[in-house]
Structures are given as C-alpha cells and as structure tokens.
Amino acid sequence: MTYKYAMQMFPIKNKPKSIFVAPTDTNFDYDNCIIEVANLVTPDMAKELKEYASNSEVSGLHPRQSKDSKIVANFHTCLIYDHSHKIYETLNDCWHTYAKKIHNDIVQIEPYEIKRYVEGDSFGLHYDSCTSNELKIARKLNILIQLSDSDEYEGGDLEIGPYTLGRKLGTGVIFPAEFYHLVTPITKGVRFSLIGHGWCPI
C-alpha cells in the first residue's frame, strides 16, 4: 500500500495483557503537556465515523460501564476494526508530530475507539495509563477527537485537570495517559468522540 503521508506508519495492535498503573506523581505539567489541534478530521469524515458506529451490526457498538467500581461511567463503544480505514493514515502524522512534544518513542497504537454518549451518560474522573510487563511497554499517550458539533449536545465537556477542552467538531487533544480526566454528564443530545492510545517503551 502507498501512503499519502511520508512518515512511517505506526503498527496497530490490540491492547496487550497489561495492568493499570496509577500515577505516582500528580504534579502534572498541564500547561505544556496538553496539546489541542483543530481540524484533525473533516466534517465528512466525522459524519462517516458516526454512521459507522451507529450501525451496531457492522461496528459492534455496545454499552459499557467503567471497569472500576469506583468510577461512574455509562456510554456505548466500538472499535474501528479495519486497520486500512483512512482514519489511521489521517492521524498517523499527528502522532509523529505532536507526540514528540510529550514522548518521542511511540512504538505502537491501539485500534481507534468510538464512544457515543447520550442523555445521562458520562465518564467519571479516571486515568488510562497501563503497563505490559511482558512486552516492556506502557500506554503513555491519549488522543481524543470531537466527532460531534458542539450544538448537537449539551453537557459532555472533556475536562483534563483544571482545563475544559474545546468542543468544536474535528478538534483533537493529545495528552499523557496518566492525566486524570473526565466527561461531564450529557444533559441533551448525543456526543460522539474518537479515542486512541499510544504505547512507548517503559
């Protein structure tokens, strides 16, 4: 396959057997380690991704709650199983370009996940960092992209530490997986977002 972008494509691998690792130091550098990027996906691509996710027979969209009983969470989720989907190529350079500002040694990414939040759904304060001792790698970076316009829903704000991030369709946020973050309850409408995780050597 010939890729449109020059940077090497990261391997796409399912999340390995791993354990979640709580941050040992919560004195986070939020100002320099949260990177917000406009227009990472086009409105047409966002629409296509939302349509894919909404067709549960194709996408496998299913309800999910938090795997930790201490965290309140309700939403629907699915993976983009087709690794040749254009979203992988579209975001590859983003990982290369912006991840270097936080970690410069990504070795693989997980399949992208689409989350759908409806009225009453939320995702309480949590972190995403985990470690595979067997492979000597750790999930170090998150990317989250808004697939819904801000006027399509109320509530549903992404908060990372002291910051509330942008809601504009196509806007992406890259940040360390150990940063505590949450999605506030949806009070009206439907919110779709795309989530990815980057792994680095321990």
Side-chain angles (χ1 to χ4, degrees):
M1 178 181 288
T2 301
Y3 292 106
K4 187 165 79 173
Y5 300 114
M7 294 184 180
Q8 180 181 2
M9 292 291 290
F10 286 114
I12 304 160
K13 299 183 180 182
N14 291 334
K15 178 185 173 185
K17 182 179 179 181
S18 55
I19 56 171
F20 280 92
V21 179
T24 56
D25 180 5
T26 55
N27 187 26
F28 298 137
D29 185 6
Y30 291 109
D31 291 333
N32 295 306
C33 292
I34 299 175
I35 303 170
E36 198 166 12
V37 187
N39 304 315
L40 278 181
V41 301
T42 66
D44 286 344
M45 183 178 286
K47 179 181 178 183
E48 187 268 327
L49 290 169
K50 289 189 291 186
E51 289 175 350
Y52 162 78
S54 297
N55 185 348
S56 59
E57 292 185 7
V58 173
S59 68
L61 187 76
H62 61 280
R64 212 203 89 185
Q65 296 179 326
S66 172
K67 297 174 183 177
D68 184 335
S69 61
K70 299 176 183 177
I71 301 170
V72 176
N74 290 285
F75 51 84
H76 282 69
T77 183
C78 65
L79 297 177
I80 303 177
Y81 298 102
D82 180 4
H83 297 175
S84 66
H85 191 287
K86 58 188 175 183
I87 190 64
Y88 288 98
E89 182 181 340
T90 298
L91 296 182
N92 188 66
D93 284 8
C94 177
W95 283 113
H96 278 285
T97 302
Y98 295 102
K100 288 180 181 179
K101 299 178 183 296
I102 306 171
H103 292 284
N104 62 4
D105 52 359
I106 291 177
V107 294
Q108 67 186 53
I109 64 170
E110 292 178 45
Y112 290 123
E113 177 184 6
I114 299 174
K115 284 188 169 76
R116 185 188 73 182
Y117 294 83
V118 299
E119 186 174 336
D121 286 353
S122 64
F123 201 158
L125 191 67
H126 66 285
Y127 60 88
D128 294 319
S129 54
C130 53
T131 297
S132 169
N133 292 324
E134 180 182 356
L135 299 178
K136 305 300 181 186
I137 58 175
R139 186 197 269 172
K140 292 285 188 76
L141 286 174
N142 293 343
I143 186 169
L144 191 149
I145 301 173
Q146 300 289 346
L147 299 180
S148 297
D149 250 327
S150 59
D151 60 0
E152 295 179 23
Y153 62 97
E154 295 177 5
D157 286 316
L158 171 64
E159 297 182 0
I160 305 174
Y163 294 106
T164 299
L165 281 299
R167 296 165 57 100
K168 188 175 180 181
L169 188 152
T171 295
V173 182
I174 301 112
F175 61 99
E178 65 179 353
F179 280 15
Y180 285 94
H181 57 288
L182 60 86
V183 176
T184 64
I186 296 283
T187 57
K188 183 178 180 181
V190 181
R191 174 189 184 269
F192 285 88
S193 59
L194 181 140
I195 291 88
H197 303 290
W199 289 72
C200 304
I202 295 176

